Amino acid sequence: DLGQQFIKNSGIVAGLVIAGLSTVYGDPPLSPGAFVVIQIYINQLFAPLAFFGYQFRVITQAFTDLEKAVTMMNSVPAIQDVPDAIVWKPRPPTDSVPSGEIIFSNVSFEYAPTIEKKELDAPIGKVLTNGAVPTYSGPDRVDDKEKDEIIQGGGISQISIRVPAGKTVAIIGGSG
């Protein structure tokens, strides 16, 4: 794209310099109107060339993408089915909604706990104005003003839900 822009702009500059010199020093000199007409002709000349250049880039990129897609489709997947795998055969489509209910029984889910750095009110070992002495027993102490705090992951525990056929249920709560 930069090469095409350079060629286009160089052509415009060269054409306008020649037209400008003909306007000032030409015999007979070009009128200002003729100078504008030359500028419009130059723009009209380069507009289709810019369009063809764009189309060429799009087609070239499409062939490159096609080549990558064919290479990917011809590659052997890293994960293979076991030799005695059962082939899934979907049921033929029906016009009706299945008539069964959905049951979740004693389902639990929990986010993994995270470790967060917390800043203490005072350096460890210093006596505070209320007489308390901050202590620290956690790993990876960065300096005397930080400690690690384990934040327990949230989730749900031992939930049982029965959704009758044709009904919708949503579990709503804080995320994360």
Side-chain angles (χ1 to χ4, degrees):
D1 189 42
L2 289 176
Q4 183 179 351
Q5 287 294 327
F6 177 76
I7 292 169
K8 176 184 172 186
N9 292 335
S10 298
I12 290 172
V13 167
L16 292 179
V17 165
I18 292 170
L21 290 174
S22 294
T23 302
V24 175
Y25 301 112
D27 186 29
L30 288 177
S31 68
F35 179 81
V36 171
V37 168
I38 290 173
Q39 181 180 3
I40 292 171
Y41 284 155
I42 291 172
N43 286 335
Q44 292 293 327
L45 172 70
F46 281 108
L49 294 176
F51 174 75
F52 287 129
Y54 171 77
Q55 293 298 325
F56 178 76
R57 282 193 310 274
V58 168
I59 291 170
T60 304
Q61 186 63 45
F63 278 119
T64 302
D65 293 342
L66 177 65
E67 182 180 355
K68 288 179 182 178
V70 168
T71 301
M72 182 186 70
M73 294 300 290
N74 290 335
S75 66
V76 177
I79 300 173
Q80 297 288 325
D81 289 337
V82 293
D84 58 345
I86 298 171
V87 177
W88 179 69
K89 295 180 183 171
R91 294 185 336 197
T94 61
D95 292 335
S96 64
V97 176
S99 60
E101 65 182 352
I102 299 172
I103 300 172
F104 291 95
S105 181
N106 295 324
V107 176
S108 297
F109 171 80
E110 184 177 288
Y111 292 102
T114 58
I115 297 177
E116 201 173 273
K117 297 279 186 201
K118 292 290 183 180
E119 190 166 320
L120 298 174
D121 294 333
I124 294 173
K126 305 277 177 153
V127 178
L128 301 176
T129 55
N130 64 2
V133 178
T135 59
Y136 180 79
S137 61
D140 300 330
R141 189 169 87 189
V142 176
D143 62 29
D144 285 343
K145 289 192 168 195
E146 287 187 1
K147 72 170 189 143
D148 291 336
E149 181 178 337
I150 296 177
I151 309 295
Q152 293 299 322
I156 57 175
S157 177
Q158 302 292 317
I159 189 170
S160 296
I161 300 173
R162 172 170 275 163
V163 182
K167 299 295 180 184
T168 302
V169 173
I171 300 174
I172 301 172
S175 66

